[in-house]
Amino acid sequence: MSSEGIPVTLVSRLLYAKRKFYSHKRRERLDARRFSSATPGTSGAVLPMTHPPSPPQRRKFSFPASLHSSLLGLAGAGSADGGSTRRRFSNVSDAVSRKLSNTIGWRTTPVPTQEVVEQGKSLCGQYIRNRLKRSGVFNRKCGLQRLGSSGGGVVRDVFPELASLGQELERMHPKLYTAVARQASPSPGCGALGSEKAAGVVLSAVARELLKADVTWGKVVSLFAVAGGLAVDCVRQDHPEYLPSLMEAMGEVLEEELAAWIVGNGGWTALLSHFKPPNTEVSVTGILGVLGAVMAAMVFLIFIARWFGKFAFI
């Protein structure tokens, strides 16, 4: 199947889902910042900040306007709103880091491209295994039993975050990431995977359409969710033997479309901080420490005032 065989509505729905997902994450970050800037009231309630942040400026979609707006299950526009601002600041920080590296003599060693591809294939296998379990169709015939401990430390660290993001994406758009083969079929109502390479061809075609304009972490997560949906289609159509071909197709997509971008953006570990809102939690120990310091300062000032007051009357 060529990329032209993928319905335009499928890719556009993925893009819409990506924008919505990003919007959701942006709201979480704004709520976190608002909480950190709030002032505790006398009743223990947290009052909102006096001047709420102005609404972000919208920018035009990165993809053709003719696309229907709903196939990318990631909300919030990685290429719009907060994503564009974050990328601009990220580019500035990267430039500063490179300048400092050249000036003071240290440089971070980039992750080899082939290593990124292998880690991505391992992440894909674990994601498919997790998706099959959540869908209740995982069994020994799938041949994915040993993927839980493969991939090394990077995969062990990154996979929980990737699985969480993918699950949130699927929860926000449940119809988008189920029956993916039927949605990707050019013939309405036809979702049968007729050969071992069919699922991989569908994944490759969707990836080419999805990544032809630009690459974002949101699109990467969405592509993993599409692979998980196709894996469920394979098993439900009694073709678990198609799964290795699907994983090989993901490896080809990573090598041809994504590996260079992932290496240039910090490797897979960069995913851990990309969607995470700033930590604004205030611990009880921290509050008690601040109160203790304030009370000690007050006692010291009172002691100094009495000391000088006593000598003032001599």
Side-chain angles (χ1 to χ4, degrees):
M1 180 185 299
S2 64
S3 61
E4 288 76 9
I6 297 295
V8 171
T9 55
L10 176 62
V11 177
S12 57
R13 288 174 60 206
L14 286 174
L15 293 173
Y16 172 78
K18 178 186 75 72
R19 291 192 295 270
K20 189 175 179 182
F21 181 74
Y22 266 116
S23 296
H24 176 70
K25 291 297 181 181
R26 179 173 174 78
R27 285 195 298 270
E28 287 184 351
R29 288 193 295 271
L30 289 176
D31 291 341
R33 294 192 186 100
R34 180 174 300 179
F35 176 80
S36 64
S37 302
T39 303
T42 55
S43 60
V46 177
L47 300 178
M49 53 191 295
T50 305
H51 301 287
S54 58
Q57 296 181 352
R58 299 281 181 177
R59 56 174 286 190
K60 295 182 179 179
F61 298 151
S62 300
F63 283 74
S66 60
L67 295 178
H68 189 275
S69 57
S70 166
L71 194 163
L72 223 173
L74 291 170
S79 60
D81 300 343
S84 60
T85 304
R86 180 173 51 252
R87 284 200 303 275
R88 288 197 297 270
F89 281 104
S90 177
N91 293 337
V92 172
S93 64
D94 291 343
V96 172
S97 298
R98 287 193 297 269
K99 184 67 175 178
L100 288 175
S101 299
N102 295 330
T103 302
I104 65 178
W106 58 265
R107 297 183 66 89
T108 56
T109 304
V111 182
T113 301
Q114 189 58 37
E115 184 176 344
V116 167
V117 173
E118 293 301 322
Q119 291 169 349
K121 289 175 66 175
S122 181
L123 287 169
C124 180
Q126 293 193 37
Y127 190 95
I128 287 175
R129 183 174 184 264
N130 179 271
R131 176 65 188 273
L132 294 177
K133 283 186 174 183
R134 288 189 283 111
S135 300
V137 295
F138 180 78
N139 54 62
R140 292 184 178 180
K141 294 181 180 180
C142 299
L144 304 175
Q145 290 84 355
R146 297 183 179 181
L147 289 176
S149 58
S150 63
V154 172
V155 175
R156 286 195 299 270
D157 293 339
V158 173
F159 175 70
E161 181 71 10
L162 175 63
S164 175
L165 292 169
Q167 189 171 354
E168 184 176 359
L169 193 56
E170 294 162 8
R171 178 187 58 80
M172 294 173 64
H173 303 273
K175 295 182 179 180
L176 180 59
Y177 295 99
T178 56
V180 176
R182 177 177 57 79
Q183 297 182 65
S185 174
S187 302
C190 179
L193 299 170
S195 66
E196 182 178 0
K197 295 183 178 180
V201 170
V202 171
L203 180 65
S204 299
V206 171
R208 282 194 295 272
E209 289 296 316
L210 196 60
L211 304 173
K212 65 181 180 181
D214 59 358
V215 182
T216 64
W217 282 117
K219 291 182 180 180
V220 173
V221 176
S222 181
L223 192 60
F224 275 85
V226 170
L230 286 170
V232 173
D233 291 340
C234 291
V235 176
R236 285 179 175 170
Q237 294 181 22
D238 296 324
H239 293 297
E241 67 276 9
Y242 291 179
L243 296 182
S245 177
L246 179 62
M247 293 176 58
E248 288 300 321
M250 175 61 87
E252 294 177 1
V253 170
L254 288 167
E255 187 170 3
E256 297 174 4
E257 307 285 346
L258 293 174
W261 183 89
I262 292 173
V263 170
N265 284 270
W268 287 106
T269 54
L271 182 66
L272 297 174
S273 59
H274 182 75
F275 292 102
K276 192 170 296 182
N279 185 13
T280 58
E281 295 182 358
V282 181
S283 64
V284 176
T285 305
I287 295 176
L288 293 178
V290 172
L291 292 177
V294 172
M295 293 179 64
M298 292 178 63
V299 171
F300 178 75
L301 291 175
I302 293 173
F303 174 79
I304 294 297
R306 288 185 176 180
W307 177 266
F308 282 101
K310 181 176 66 174
F311 283 99
F313 291 99
I314 295 178

